[in-house]
Amino acid sequence: MTVRTRFAPSPTGFLHVGGARTAYYNALFARRHGGRYLLRIEDTDRTRSSEEAVQQILDSLAWLGLSPDEPPVFQSQRMARHAEVAHQLLARGLAYRAYETPEELAAMRERAIAEKRPPRYDGYWRDREPGPAEAGKPYAIRLKAPREGETVIEDLVQGTVRVANAELDDMIILRSDGTPTYLHAVVVDDHDMGITHVIRGDDHLTNTFRQCQIFDAMGWRRPHFAHIPLIHGADGTKLSKRHGAVSVLEFREQGILPEALLNYLLRLGWGHGDEEIVPRERAERIFDLKDVGRGPARMDYAKLLHINAVYLRKADPEALLPEVMRRLARGGLMFGTEKAARVRALLPALQERCRTLAELAEAAAFAVTDGTPPMDAKAAALLTPEARARLADLAEFLSGAEWNRQELERWLRDYADIKGLPLKEVAQPLRAALTGSTVSPPIDVTLAALGKEEALARMLAAAEG
Ligand code: GLU
């Protein structure tokens, strides 16, 4: 059996981190077992679905590296097939026509609630043939669900879960307007797509019993199910916008790296000993559903930043450069190759100290301003008349230096020695003059990155005040 998994988002909004985690688990499980990972867009609810949401989901998945192994299946294009299966069940006597109007159903519901009974369909048409009164009337198709016994699921995460069939009523599979219900469409699609493992949020667990009844009625082999606990916010309620960023594209905007987000989401609800950093190649080798926890996971934004910082540090600076430049350009800082070279020279040092791409761009901004960047108050306070005079002197001294990091480091030390000053006293006003701030990468790196002409110009500008 070749493993086939699927991620099946409803395009009613952006891709949420919970969905991204579900997609990732499906992709990992398929990869681990040499199978395939598919995507189905569940867009049968035309009023709530939008083209824009479909595009956003596809973009988010592509950004995460979670595009499917086969072209996506659109559920709305398969409605004829859903109807066909419903009619097959009807023809085999495993489903029946039910003629209640929506008003009658609502009344049935209200009666049940008033009598404190669960609001289930009473099965009126289950064993009745339509008479002349029903001729030409619209009808829904309902599954003739088993009434005795239990429906049992061996869930790969939740263990054995069961429900008494008496508690499930005869669900509608095809509405009177000919459209399939969601539960029915999912079963037909999962079957036709050859899905062997359904890995999804545990909010779908109760649907699974009903879906299994359809699989069973059709005599189709049920897929294996794995229902993963939902993601909660720090306060223990279901994760929502109130808690902070929830959409994949928001995290992207904040400068989270896709591989870091995946690592974080993987660990949210799944563990392998206490390994925290589990890159994708490793996850593809060790991911196992038995290591998925049963309790809800809590979104921890600080932890995500920590993991992002780890990935940022390890990243190839060349791979980060375009994104950092894009952010700087978007911030209104236009620059050409010379300024890009400054950013490139700073990147390795900045990667050590920043947690996100947004922080990285912010920290690199000083290098691409035209002339001295705006000075913060702390930096301005360092530029006393004495410090300014020294900057002029230092500029003169450094103008003889060969302009690279090692040489500049040596020249600065020599200068401090000659003047009998601690290096810090030379470096701090210099940093203020070059960057407008009291924090920056090491001063030799900063000097070298700016280039001789720009660095000396900034020093002289600061010296003049
Ligand atoms: N479309 C459903 C959702 O977005 C998922 C259904 C499934 O995975 O079976 O929650």
Side-chain angles (χ1 to χ4, degrees):
M1 174 187 71
T2 307
V3 165
R4 288 169 72 85
T5 63
R6 78 335 184 246
F7 173 50
S10 304
T12 53
F14 50 75
L15 182 66
H16 182 276
V17 278
R21 184 185 59 163
T22 302
Y24 192 32
Y25 285 9
N26 275 287
L28 287 177
F29 188 81
R31 203 66 72 245
R32 166 92 199 266
H33 296 281
R36 291 172 92 67
Y37 149 73
L38 314 184
L39 175 66
R40 181 171 69 237
I41 302 288
E42 304 211 311
D43 56 349
T44 35
D45 184 346
R46 304 308 284 175
T47 53
R48 295 180 60 227
S49 304
S50 74
E51 278 302 313
E52 196 195 340
V54 171
Q55 200 49 52
Q56 269 219 19
I57 290 171
L58 296 177
D59 291 347
S60 301
L61 290 173
W63 179 70
L64 287 167
L66 291 176
S67 295
D69 297 333
E70 293 176 12
V73 170
F74 288 84
Q75 193 161 59
S76 61
Q77 291 170 8
R78 299 183 28 84
M79 284 166 63
R81 169 69 178 148
H82 303 142
E84 178 189 43
V85 173
H87 282 281
Q88 280 175 15
L89 286 168
L90 188 61
R92 293 185 203 163
L94 298 167
Y96 60 93
R97 297 182 176 87
Y99 290 88
E100 286 86 1
T101 62
E103 295 73 36
E104 284 167 338
L105 288 174
M108 189 187 300
R109 234 185 110 78
E110 273 164 32
R111 255 195 329 274
I113 291 171
E115 291 165 16
K116 299 206 163 28
R117 286 183 287 112
R120 295 188 199 122
Y121 176 63
D122 64 8
Y124 181 83
W125 286 102
R126 184 176 167 109
D127 298 308
R128 275 194 177 80
E129 283 301 317
E134 279 73 48
K137 270 196 172 176
Y139 59 86
I141 299 183
R142 287 186 180 263
L143 186 76
K144 204 178 252 185
R147 290 201 156 160
E148 259 92 70
E150 303 183 307
T151 297
V152 182
I153 306 161
E154 300 297 342
D155 191 273
L156 296 174
V157 172
Q158 310 289 336
T160 307
V161 249
R162 51 179 83 229
V163 68
N165 288 331
E167 284 180 31
L168 304 174
D169 59 3
D170 290 344
M171 78 192 109
I172 294 181
I173 53 178
L174 201 70
R175 297 187 193 91
S176 56
D177 64 1
T179 60
T181 54
Y182 169 70
L183 290 175
H184 176 65
V186 167
V187 170
V188 177
D189 292 346
D190 281 338
H191 171 265
D192 289 1
M193 290 165 75
I195 300 304
T196 60
H197 292 76
V198 169
I199 305 169
R200 63 186 172 196
D202 67 7
D203 49 337
H204 287 282
L205 187 59
T206 50
N207 289 340
T208 308
F209 296 114
R210 293 175 173 285
Q211 292 177 344
C212 284
Q213 291 184 336
I214 303 176
F215 276 109
D216 296 352
M218 283 302 290
W220 288 340
R221 189 197 181 101
R222 297 182 189 177
H224 297 282
F225 292 97
H227 287 93
I228 53 183
L230 298 185
I231 301 177
H232 285 181
D235 59 1
T237 61
K238 193 176 158 188
L239 187 68
S240 76
K241 270 199 160 321
R242 274 180 309 115
H243 297 104
V246 287
S247 91
V248 167
L249 293 180
E250 263 176 288
F251 286 106
R252 175 186 189 172
E253 200 41 52
Q254 290 179 2
I256 300 292
L257 298 172
E259 51 276 36
L261 185 56
L262 288 182
N263 188 145
Y264 176 72
L265 292 175
L266 169 67
R267 291 284 291 106
L268 201 56
W270 172 91
H272 190 262
D274 52 12
E275 270 182 59
E276 181 160 63
I277 301 302
V278 189
R280 184 162 178 170
E281 316 76 71
R282 176 152 173 78
E284 284 175 357
R285 278 182 277 118
I286 63 174
F287 180 78
D288 200 331
L289 289 168
K290 75 172 170 34
D291 300 321
V292 173
R294 285 198 199 179
R298 290 204 182 185
M299 184 78 192
D300 178 344
Y301 291 92
K303 182 83 158 280
L304 171 61
L305 280 180
H306 165 73
I307 289 186
N308 202 54
V310 172
Y311 278 84
L312 205 56
R313 228 173 286 141
K314 287 195 302 191
D316 173 3
E318 282 307 306
L320 300 179
L321 193 62
E323 179 57 21
V324 174
M325 311 253 264
R326 191 182 69 78
R327 284 170 185 266
L328 288 168
R330 210 179 42 181
L333 295 164
M334 299 305 291
F335 49 91
T337 45
E338 194 221 327
K339 287 183 177 177
R342 295 183 198 162
V343 177
R344 173 179 277 120
L346 285 171
L347 268 185
L350 291 178
Q351 283 171 249
E352 292 296 323
R353 58 187 66 223
C354 294
R355 296 172 305 171
T356 65
L357 284 167
E359 287 182 8
L360 227 158
E362 199 185 318
F366 78 85
V368 296
T369 53
D370 286 316
T372 308
M375 184 86 47
D376 71 29
K378 272 200 209 156
L382 288 175
L383 294 177
T384 58
E386 194 194 349
R388 288 217 205 103
R390 188 168 309 118
L391 276 171
D393 186 49
L394 179 60
E396 167 83 42
F397 179 78
L398 290 182
S399 64
E402 199 185 320
W403 215 263
N404 64 54
R405 197 190 62 72
Q406 289 89 340
E407 279 299 297
L408 286 163
E409 188 199 356
R410 200 163 63 77
W411 280 65
L412 283 174
R413 277 187 201 291
D414 286 352
Y415 183 82
D417 284 350
I418 294 166
K419 301 288 167 183
L421 291 167
L423 184 60
K424 198 169 166 236
E425 250 175 75
V426 178
Q428 273 309 73
L430 176 56
R431 175 169 281 121
L434 297 176
T435 70
S437 160
T438 51
V439 280
S440 83
I443 196 66
D444 48 337
V445 173
T446 307
L447 270 173
L450 283 173
K452 183 171 185 173
E453 200 184 325
E454 179 70 16
L456 293 178
R458 289 187 185 193
M459 289 166 73
L460 292 175
E464 278 162 26

